[in-house]
PDB file of all heavy atoms in Angstrom:
ATOM      1  N   ASN X  79     218.096 106.609  50.112  1.00 98.00           N
ATOM      2  CA  ASN X  79     219.389 106.554  49.427  1.00 98.00           C
ATOM      3  C   ASN X  79     219.698 107.908  48.749  1.00 98.00           C
ATOM      4  O   ASN X  79     218.803 108.745  48.636  1.00 98.00           O
ATOM      5  CB  ASN X  79     219.317 105.445  48.366  1.00 98.00           C
ATOM      6  CG  ASN X  79     220.544 104.581  48.365  1.00 98.00           C
ATOM      7  OD1 ASN X  79     221.206 104.418  49.392  1.00 98.00           O
ATOM      8  ND2 ASN X  79     220.870 104.025  47.217  1.00 98.00           N
ATOM      9  N   PRO X  80     220.933 108.094  48.272  1.00 98.00           N
ATOM     10  CA  PRO X  80     221.263 109.339  47.575  1.00 98.00           C
ATOM     11  C   PRO X  80     220.330 109.621  46.392  1.00 98.00           C
ATOM     12  O   PRO X  80     219.835 108.705  45.745  1.00 98.00           O
ATOM     13  CB  PRO X  80     222.686 109.091  47.085  1.00 98.00           C
ATOM     14  CG  PRO X  80     223.256 108.154  48.086  1.00 98.00           C
ATOM     15  CD  PRO X  80     222.121 107.248  48.467  1.00 98.00           C
ATOM     16  N   CYS X 119     223.876 106.807  51.352  1.00 98.00           N
ATOM     17  CA  CYS X 119     224.076 105.354  51.298  1.00 98.00           C
ATOM     18  C   CYS X 119     224.860 104.877  52.515  1.00 98.00           C
ATOM     19  O   CYS X 119     225.206 103.697  52.596  1.00 98.00           O
ATOM     20  CB  CYS X 119     224.771 104.966  50.008  1.00 98.00           C
ATOM     21  SG  CYS X 119     226.239 105.948  49.658  1.00 98.00           S
ATOM     22  N   GLU X 138     219.847  99.201  48.757  1.00 97.00           N
ATOM     23  CA  GLU X 138     221.202  99.759  48.606  1.00 97.00           C
ATOM     24  C   GLU X 138     222.211  98.669  48.969  1.00 97.00           C
ATOM     25  O   GLU X 138     222.473  98.403  50.147  1.00 97.00           O
ATOM     26  CB  GLU X 138     221.422 101.032  49.438  1.00 97.00           C
ATOM     27  CG  GLU X 138     222.870 101.554  49.490  1.00 97.00           C
ATOM     28  CD  GLU X 138     223.554 101.558  48.143  1.00 97.00           C
ATOM     29  OE1 GLU X 138     222.964 102.013  47.157  1.00 97.00           O
ATOM     30  OE2 GLU X 138     224.709 101.065  48.058  1.00 97.00           O
ATOM     31  N   SER X 140     225.390  98.258  49.001  1.00 98.00           N
ATOM     32  CA  SER X 140     226.568  98.448  49.865  1.00 98.00           C
ATOM     33  C   SER X 140     226.137  98.580  51.326  1.00 98.00           C
ATOM     34  O   SER X 140     226.761  98.010  52.230  1.00 98.00           O
ATOM     35  CB  SER X 140     227.345  99.698  49.444  1.00 98.00           C
ATOM     36  OG  SER X 140     226.611 100.886  49.712  1.00 98.00           O
ATOM     37  N   GLY X 288     233.789 109.585  47.253  1.00 98.00           N
ATOM     38  CA  GLY X 288     232.675 109.434  48.191  1.00 98.00           C
ATOM     39  C   GLY X 288     231.672 108.396  47.741  1.00 98.00           C
ATOM     40  O   GLY X 288     230.471 108.628  47.758  1.00 98.00           O
ATOM     41  N   CYS X 289     232.178 107.240  47.356  1.00 98.00           N
ATOM     42  CA  CYS X 289     231.307 106.107  47.030  1.00 98.00           C
ATOM     43  C   CYS X 289     231.817 104.902  47.804  1.00 98.00           C
ATOM     44  O   CYS X 289     232.877 104.397  47.471  1.00 98.00           O
ATOM     45  CB  CYS X 289     231.311 105.809  45.544  1.00 98.00           C
ATOM     46  SG  CYS X 289     230.460 104.261  45.124  1.00 98.00           S
ATOM     47  N   PRO X 290     231.082 104.427  48.816  1.00 98.00           N
ATOM     48  CA  PRO X 290     229.950 105.075  49.460  1.00 98.00           C
ATOM     49  C   PRO X 290     230.349 106.431  50.081  1.00 98.00           C
ATOM     50  O   PRO X 290     231.535 106.743  50.208  1.00 98.00           O
ATOM     51  CB  PRO X 290     229.546 104.077  50.544  1.00 98.00           C
ATOM     52  CG  PRO X 290     230.094 102.749  50.086  1.00 98.00           C
ATOM     53  CD  PRO X 290     231.360 103.097  49.369  1.00 98.00           C
ATOM     54  N   HIS X 291     229.341 107.173  50.494  1.00 98.00           N
ATOM     55  CA  HIS X 291     229.529 108.530  50.993  1.00 98.00           C
ATOM     56  C   HIS X 291     230.684 108.660  51.984  1.00 98.00           C
ATOM     57  O   HIS X 291     230.867 107.795  52.849  1.00 98.00           O
ATOM     58  CB  HIS X 291     228.238 109.012  51.669  1.00 98.00           C
ATOM     59  CG  HIS X 291     227.259 109.591  50.702  1.00 98.00           C
ATOM     60  ND1 HIS X 291     225.969 109.903  51.047  1.00 98.00           N
ATOM     61  CD2 HIS X 291     227.411 109.963  49.390  1.00 98.00           C
ATOM     62  CE1 HIS X 291     225.347 110.420  49.980  1.00 98.00           C
ATOM     63  NE2 HIS X 291     226.197 110.457  48.975  1.00 98.00           N
ATOM     64  N   CYS X 346     225.394 111.400  44.446  1.00 98.00           N
ATOM     65  CA  CYS X 346     226.672 110.767  44.085  1.00 98.00           C
ATOM     66  C   CYS X 346     226.846 110.726  42.580  1.00 98.00           C
ATOM     67  O   CYS X 346     225.923 111.004  41.824  1.00 98.00           O
ATOM     68  CB  CYS X 346     226.787 109.373  44.680  1.00 98.00           C
ATOM     69  SG  CYS X 346     225.994 108.073  43.721  1.00 98.00           S
ATOM     70  N   MET X 347     228.069 110.349  42.175  1.00 98.00           N
ATOM     71  CA  MET X 347     228.462 110.344  40.761  1.00 98.00           C
ATOM     72  C   MET X 347     227.717 109.297  39.937  1.00 98.00           C
ATOM     73  O   MET X 347     227.707 109.357  38.722  1.00 98.00           O
ATOM     74  CB  MET X 347     229.982 110.129  40.662  1.00 98.00           C
ATOM     75  CG  MET X 347     230.548 108.777  41.102  1.00 98.00           C
ATOM     76  SD  MET X 347     230.245 108.257  42.796  1.00 98.00           S
ATOM     77  CE  MET X 347     231.402 109.162  43.767  1.00 98.00           C
ATOM     78  N   VAL X 348     227.099 108.337  40.585  1.00 98.00           N
ATOM     79  CA  VAL X 348     226.415 107.275  39.830  1.00 98.00           C
ATOM     80  C   VAL X 348     224.928 107.582  39.654  1.00 98.00           C
ATOM     81  O   VAL X 348     224.367 107.372  38.579  1.00 98.00           O
ATOM     82  CB  VAL X 348     226.625 105.901  40.517  1.00 98.00           C
ATOM     83  CG1 VAL X 348     225.739 104.826  39.893  1.00 98.00           C
ATOM     84  CG2 VAL X 348     228.085 105.487  40.420  1.00 98.00           C
ATOM     85  N   VAL X 349     224.286 108.091  40.701  1.00 98.00           N
ATOM     86  CA  VAL X 349     222.844 108.357  40.586  1.00 98.00           C
ATOM     87  C   VAL X 349     222.539 109.763  40.058  1.00 98.00           C
ATOM     88  O   VAL X 349     221.389 110.091  39.807  1.00 98.00           O
ATOM     89  CB  VAL X 349     222.087 108.095  41.910  1.00 98.00           C
ATOM     90  CG1 VAL X 349     222.245 106.646  42.340  1.00 98.00           C
ATOM     91  CG2 VAL X 349     222.535 109.038  43.010  1.00 98.00           C
ATOM     92  N   LYS X 365     233.080 100.064  43.454  1.00 98.00           N
ATOM     93  CA  LYS X 365     231.654 100.057  43.113  1.00 98.00           C
ATOM     94  C   LYS X 365     231.369 101.066  42.001  1.00 98.00           C
ATOM     95  O   LYS X 365     230.745 100.745  41.002  1.00 98.00           O
ATOM     96  CB  LYS X 365     230.779 100.371  44.333  1.00 98.00           C
ATOM     97  CG  LYS X 365     229.311 100.486  43.938  1.00 98.00           C
ATOM     98  CD  LYS X 365     228.345 100.600  45.082  1.00 98.00           C
ATOM     99  CE  LYS X 365     226.931 100.818  44.514  1.00 98.00           C
ATOM    100  NZ  LYS X 365     225.885 100.872  45.521  1.00 98.00           N
ATOM    101  N   TYR X 369     229.937 100.730  38.032  1.00 98.00           N
ATOM    102  CA  TYR X 369     228.681 101.319  37.557  1.00 98.00           C
ATOM    103  C   TYR X 369     228.860 102.525  36.643  1.00 98.00           C
ATOM    104  O   TYR X 369     227.952 102.835  35.868  1.00 98.00           O
ATOM    105  CB  TYR X 369     227.800 101.696  38.750  1.00 98.00           C
ATOM    106  CG  TYR X 369     227.227 100.493  39.456  1.00 98.00           C
ATOM    107  CD1 TYR X 369     226.948 100.504  40.812  1.00 98.00           C
ATOM    108  CD2 TYR X 369     226.951  99.324  38.750  1.00 98.00           C
ATOM    109  CE1 TYR X 369     226.423  99.389  41.462  1.00 98.00           C
ATOM    110  CE2 TYR X 369     226.430  98.207  39.384  1.00 98.00           C
ATOM    111  CZ  TYR X 369     226.166  98.248  40.734  1.00 98.00           C
ATOM    112  OH  TYR X 369     225.653  97.153  41.356  1.00 98.00           O
TER     113      TYR X 369
HETATM  114 FE1  LIG G 401     226.484 105.304  47.408  1.00 72.52          FE
HETATM  115 FE2  LIG G 401     226.251 106.174  44.951  1.00 72.52          FE
HETATM  116 FE3  LIG G 401     228.240 104.606  45.591  1.00 72.52          FE
HETATM  117  S1  LIG G 401     224.623 105.436  46.232  1.00 72.52           S
HETATM  118  S2  LIG G 401     227.469 103.332  47.251  1.00 72.52           S
HETATM  119  S3  LIG G 401     227.877 106.667  46.383  1.00 72.52           S
HETATM  120  S4  LIG G 401     227.032 104.466  43.745  1.00 72.52           S
END
Side-chain angles (χ1 to χ4, degrees):
N79 225 28
C119 49
E138 171 45 47
S140 68
C289 171
H291 275 170
C346 84
M347 67 301 282
V348 170
V349 300
K365 175 172 176 177
Y369 289 150

